[in-house]
Amino acid sequence: MAMHTRRVSGFSYIEIVITVAILALLATAAVPAVELAVTRHKEAQLRQALREIRGAIDAYKQASDEGRIPREAGESGYPRRLEDLESGVVDAQDAGRKSIYFLRRLPRDPMHPATDDPTPAAQTWGKRSYGSPPDAPREGEDVFDVYSLNTAKGLNGIPYNQW
């Protein structure tokens, strides 16, 4: 009488449990790395947006100093509203009265809490007027500088609203 041995193919329960445990361990190690990468990306976006807006504010001030943007006596020459950088202003030196645009699109603050929020981009930024002190920025008659409204600390240890 011949005995037939039955061959079982597949993985045992212990092998599956060990594999799942190893995958769970790798996933827990990867999550902080992914969160760090997301934070670095948002910080890079913040730096770029601040550079863009501050460059546009400086260009507006230069155009104002050159007489291309009319201003009243006693005005600083900085834009009255952040939206003026995007919507444009009439060029006083152009006979055709064309507009000067300083930004194609006003960037949103990437550190603003809700990215799908319909809040206009200009309202996601804190604004500092020319007349306010640097250590206590406040809005006023013009926009001299912008800053993030987020008070969390960046990876460099400096709060985002002080960048």
Side-chain angles (χ1 to χ4, degrees):
M1 202 164 162
M3 241 176 148
H4 292 275
T5 59
R6 189 170 162 201
R7 265 192 107 158
V8 179
S9 62
F11 297 107
S12 71
Y13 181 71
I14 296 296
E15 291 171 326
I16 293 173
V17 169
I18 290 173
T19 303
V20 169
I22 290 171
L23 288 175
L25 182 66
L26 290 173
T28 57
V31 168
V34 170
E35 288 175 352
L36 180 65
V38 168
T39 302
R40 280 191 180 146
H41 179 69
K42 287 178 89 173
E43 286 186 359
Q45 287 179 325
L46 176 62
R47 276 191 292 278
Q48 178 61 32
L50 286 170
R51 257 189 233 114
E52 231 178 283
I53 295 171
R54 288 171 176 164
I57 290 171
D58 291 343
Y60 186 102
K61 172 69 168 138
Q62 182 177 356
S64 178
D65 290 346
E66 293 170 354
R68 295 181 69 194
I69 300 172
R71 65 178 171 186
E72 301 287 323
E75 283 187 337
S76 66
Y78 288 99
R80 291 183 186 97
R81 303 173 321 124
L82 203 51
E83 294 89 341
D84 292 345
L85 301 173
E86 180 181 19
S87 63
V89 291
V90 176
D91 188 348
Q93 293 181 353
D94 188 313
R97 308 303 270 171
K98 292 185 179 177
S99 292
I100 308 170
Y101 299 94
F102 300 95
L103 287 174
R104 283 187 184 197
R105 182 187 58 81
L106 185 64
R108 290 178 61 84
D109 179 359
M111 298 302 176
H112 190 263
T115 55
D116 59 345
D117 186 8
T119 304
Q123 292 179 13
T124 63
W125 296 102
K127 297 161 207 73
R128 177 179 161 221
S129 72
Y130 182 72
S132 71
D135 55 343
R138 66 180 189 282
E139 291 189 38
E141 295 179 6
D142 57 13
V143 180
F144 173 72
D145 194 15
V146 293
Y147 57 91
S148 177
L149 294 173
N150 193 327
T151 57
K153 285 190 178 182
L155 295 175
N156 60 2
I158 299 171
Y160 294 126
N161 62 357
Q162 293 178 12
W163 282 27

